Amino acid sequence: MQDITFKLNGATRRVVADPARSLLDVLRRDLGLTGAKEGCGRGHCGTCAVLVDNEVRLACQTPVIKARGREVVTIEGLGTVSDPHPLQVAFARTGAIQCGFCTPGMIIRAKALIDREPRPDRAAIVKALQPHLCRCTGYQKIFEAVELAAARLRGEVGPIELRTEGEDTLGRAVVRPDALDKATGATVFAADLKVDECAHVALVRSPHHHARIVSIDVAPALAGPGVLAVLTADDVAGTNILKMAGDDQPILCGDKVRFIGDPVAAAVAASERLAGEAAERVRVEYEPLPPLLTVAESLEPGAPRVHEDRPNLMFEQPIVHNEIERGLAEAEVIVEREYSTQAVEHAYLEPDAGVAYLDDRGRLVVMSGSQNIHQHQKTIAGALGLGLDQVRVIQTPMGGGFGGKLDVSVGGVLGLAAWKLGRPVRMRYSRPETFIATTKRHPFTMRVKVGAKKDGTLTALDMDVLADAGAYASFSKSVVTRGIVHAGGPYQWPHARVRGRAVYTTTAVKGAMRGFGAPQTAFAVESILDELAAELGLDPLEIRARNGFVPGDVTIFGQRLDDASGLAECFEKMRPLYRRAVKEARASNTPEVRRGVGLAAVWFGPGRSAPDKSEAWAELRPDDDLQVWIGAADMGQGSDTMFWQIAARTMGYPLDRVHLCTTDTAHTPDGNFSAGSRQTYVSGKAVQLAVAELKKAMDQNRIATYGEMRDRGLPTLYKVVHQTDTTKLDPETGQGVPWETYSFGVQMAEVAVDPARRRVKALRITAVHDLGTVINRLNVEGQIHGGMAMGLGYALSEKYVYAETDSLAKYRLPRAKDMPEFEVHLVEVPRRGGPFGASGAGEFADVPTAPATANAIFNACGIRVRCLPVSRRELAP
């Protein structure tokens, strides 16, 4: 231990600490400054950045002894909510903040850049931010924020205004209400929570792909210092099953393990270090079983079952539309191909974390990231054998989700430990744990056959989809169902046959991820459309426009599209942009670098599988302000801001008279999953209807105040349950109405390919999207940028390798230098069922980006990519 003194945010601080401890650990644990985040612990993500003598240091990699005698500045020292730095204001104003977990580190890096270079150009900004990761924004808004702040600091622009005035803010760039909290490091994420007398939990995880548990010896662990308990499946009084979408995944495994990382026991101790050491001392005897690492192995006759009570083929759903053989017979050209996609990590920058405790009523309270607090409440209660009234779930601010926080991760074991011990407990995953233990995007293998007339009119689609579900069901049924529903793309197919299957393997669990199966099948159908166009000698845009949906068309699952659609307008708006891009690409080709342009169209149904509903409450407060209650997770996508604007517009109030509560099961009704791009279309409509009921009561009675309502004996709280008019798919034919409406669009990718160096550079991605009425332009653009960036990673670099990928250094997320220019055009055709005509946007832009990129690569160099991500081997000349 050493006595270490340094200046921290202008004040002298003195600590006695192990000199090898990281500066980040000392800042967060000893000094209570949690603005710097631990996203990886290895210096790969940049979330821990601080200034040391005006130079950026990654605090997770800096021993605290290196701060001795120096001046350290954290995000808290740069500015506060009441007195923010121009960089913090600029990040809020431009929409550079979504989840906000990466934001403090980004701002610290930008501060160092502007101090050194007051007039940085875009190239300098990109270079400076290269060490930092952002999974949400696509970086472009961050670049714009740095440019704006630099201009403000040079005195070239006036004060940056964050407030939005007026009662009607629909369509405007309203800044999210939590933006400055995130920009100043004031937001308290799960790992930042301060809890008195809190014990720590560490998990014992399986080292085997597949094995039977013979025995668990906890005695060596219990003998260690500070150990409070070691819990196993025998300690769970309920079902021990985390029943979200699946019904097969235990909190702690009791009989066997099904993938490397499956949890077997939980050690609870006085500190994180002691809990980890105790977990290492637990002795588990296993009987290894044959691993099933591929879908083919699981489907082999006589293969062992991953789950003894059900077959390895865990789900199958067909779609049968008219007569496929007739459609193929009518075709004048038939193209048949196979495509495959990879497993992908969600890679949200906030590792899973949470706390649990018993409140003064003896109720179990679980605080963690959650994309559906009410379903997590039901899941945890059932697994632990508790009543719903005995469990309260509070969503902490989330550093991203993308579907990965739909499943319960830390909440189940935290709830178990807190309930059994009767004391507060906490746990956080390391970055390697998030890689090994959380869900992934499903790898798909897709065999596709399409037929068409010589003029490009489509006649038949025949597709077989096979998905690797991993060890547990999670959301595999929903992913495969959405995947095959969207398998035809936004096109009219007179005849179709699509079969979707999901198969258990003894690998990482596959679950919900942005797009829910649609990115996989879009890659197949949009790629084969280009291959068909080439076979026919037709323009890729024209074959899409010829066959694109118009109102009144019937889908392959039998739904007549009776709502508005702007797909035709999207094609028309894209046409001159596409012609310009093709002309530029041809003019820019050199013998060394070839330019290409690719297209992909997209459609997406906002909502979850039927039945889909949300409940919202609207209340007039004693101060005559409006209070809206709805349990709906904002993980950075901006749903809180959307609710805020919808409620204000409906009530006729300015934004500052509207208040939201969305994060606590004790106070909110169930707004359902934040997934499937549903919160605007479904929950936003529920909010609109609830507020409209309140306003109607006030208007009809000519009342303007809370006091008048009470005097007249009128209720001040109005509740609405809004349910969409949808049906489940028929299990035999796949016919049904899975979603009320759809968002439509077309995207274009422009790339440069250097075959000799085996490199692809994305130059520009252009989106022309019909998302209905836009509620918040800033948020919608941010979702589109983020989706395009995620889709680009899906196309070019990202691949999760089970039991190998364990760090952000090994997993190639797109960084600042990988970003192309983004160009967004919005076609606003109002939808009948959405709030003020809105549809959904959150997952939309991710879906067509990979196929558009693959098509652009082919048009650049003649190399057809049929397996994602693009490999250097495929690019060899």
Side-chain angles (χ1 to χ4, degrees), residues 778-808:
L778 199 63
N779 285 352
V780 166
E781 287 179 355
Q783 289 300 290
I784 293 172
H785 289 181
M788 291 192 292
M790 188 174 284
L792 194 63
Y794 191 38
L796 298 180
S797 63
E798 295 184 41
K799 183 177 182 178
Y800 172 81
V801 181
Y802 166 64
E804 292 183 22
T805 306
D806 62 0
S807 75
L808 293 172

Side-chain angles (χ1 to χ4, degrees), residues 357-365 392:
Y357 61 93
L358 303 186
D359 65 15
D360 53 9
R361 294 169 45 186
R363 178 174 50 181
L364 173 64
V365 180
R392 176 185 180 188

